[in-house]
Amino acid sequence: MITANIQKINQEIGVHARLIAVSKTKPLEMLMEAYQGGQRIFGENKVQELVQKYEALPKDIEWHLIGHLQSNKVKYIAPFVSLIHGVDSLKLLQTINKEGEKNNRIVPCLLQIFIAQEETKFGLNQAELMELLESISQEPLPHVQICGLMGMASNVDNEVQIRNEFKGLKNVFELVRQRYFLNNPHFKEISMGMSGDYLIAVQEGATLVRVGSRIFGER
Ligand SMILES: *Cc1c(COP(=O)(O)O)cnc(C)c1O
């Protein structure tokens, strides 16, 4: 089942987006099943669970942290994480830079942008985003690579609203790319779309979709 689900989603999303299998709360056996079906990118939202799964599973897996990250936990994932999706403050970025330096790595990150019309979601608003980008253009962080933006649409059934939120993220991405990353080929990722809305996300320009329950079943 898991492998069939992954194949189906890969066919739907095509070549412009990559699938992150969001395996939070799921046991190692299920991740191994996905791995044996060819899946190599997994996403987790808790640092401890990410580290445990990293240690237990094959080393050619790319691990993405998709959830909120606290500064004091960066050190546990800095040695191996492939992409941190949820960066939403300069302080966190500075901590990632420091831990990247200790590990002699450049840690790939996405800046999380607030796009939903909901109070609870993390992320930077546009003014905060610009402020952060100004700060790091003055004072670069050599052990961090900003690879793009991440966002979560509102948890609603309204497709028009979701599509507009994704369009908004894509617009911010283009604006930021032109202003700050024009000669930087690394700034190319738009992480948006989950089980309920990944098709809309891909239509609106997602390059990474984060899909959990459609692959592994409900949590
Ligand atoms: C859990 C989670 C997902 C996947 O959610 P599904 O609806 O199960 O696909 C995607 N992104 C983030 C940030 C998550 O926490």
Side-chain angles (χ1 to χ4, degrees), residues 1-204:
M1 263 325 267
I2 289 175
T3 300
N5 294 341
I6 288 172
Q7 281 170 352
K8 176 166 177 290
I9 296 166
N10 273 324
Q11 277 165 10
E12 289 171 331
I13 67 178
V15 296
H16 299 296
R18 286 178 297 151
L19 172 62
I20 302 168
V22 176
S23 47
K24 61 193 189 195
T25 77
K26 299 297 179 184
L28 293 175
E29 302 75 68
M30 291 180 91
L31 280 75
M32 259 330 273
E33 198 179 327
Y35 179 86
Q36 273 151 2
Q39 183 65 30
R40 290 294 182 275
I41 313 178
F42 290 85
E44 293 282 336
N45 69 338
K46 296 219 164 69
V47 166
Q48 194 184 355
E49 190 174 346
L50 179 65
V51 170
Q52 282 168 355
K53 287 174 171 170
Y54 162 73
E55 284 169 355
L57 290 171
K59 289 296 166 284
D60 60 341
I61 291 175
E62 259 189 47
W63 292 99
H64 290 206
L65 187 82
I66 60 170
H68 188 68
L69 176 59
Q70 290 172 316
S71 291
N72 62 352
K73 296 197 172 155
V74 174
K75 58 178 178 283
Y76 301 115
I77 60 169
F80 68 90
V81 71
S82 289
L83 187 61
I84 299 175
H85 287 234
V87 178
D88 63 358
S89 74
L90 181 60
K91 174 175 169 267
L92 180 57
L93 211 51
Q94 287 166 336
T95 305
I96 297 168
N97 185 61
K98 196 179 73 190
E99 296 298 330
E101 183 173 11
K102 281 186 200 163
N103 287 280
N104 200 17
R105 288 190 75 206
I106 297 172
V107 182
C109 293
L110 303 179
L111 300 176
Q112 183 169 358
I113 311 305
F114 182 86
I115 57 170
Q117 291 171 5
E118 288 171 4
E119 285 299 315
T120 55
K121 302 266 162 79
F122 293 105
L124 300 153
N125 64 33
Q126 209 154 319
E128 292 164 339
L129 172 65
M130 294 306 164
E131 194 182 326
L132 189 156
L133 291 166
E134 280 300 326
S135 306
I136 58 177
S137 67
Q138 308 295 318
E139 196 184 333
L141 302 172
H143 290 275
V144 165
Q145 182 76 256
I146 296 178
C147 298
L149 305 181
M150 178 267 206
M152 282 170 91
S154 298
N155 187 14
V156 294
D157 274 338
N158 183 342
E159 189 184 317
V160 174
Q161 180 182 343
I162 292 169
R163 191 177 291 281
N164 281 331
E165 292 174 0
F166 289 152
K167 277 188 203 296
L169 182 58
K170 167 81 175 177
N171 287 340
V172 176
F173 172 86
E174 287 302 338
L175 191 130
V176 163
R177 196 176 66 81
Q178 305 231 346
R179 208 180 280 178
Y180 294 97
F181 296 96
L182 210 45
N183 296 313
N184 183 344
H186 297 288
F187 190 83
K188 61 181 169 54
E189 306 290 4
I190 305 178
S191 168
M192 61 186 185
M194 306 171 33
S195 286
D197 55 22
Y198 65 89
L199 284 179
I200 306 173
V202 168
Q203 288 162 0
E204 299 306 332

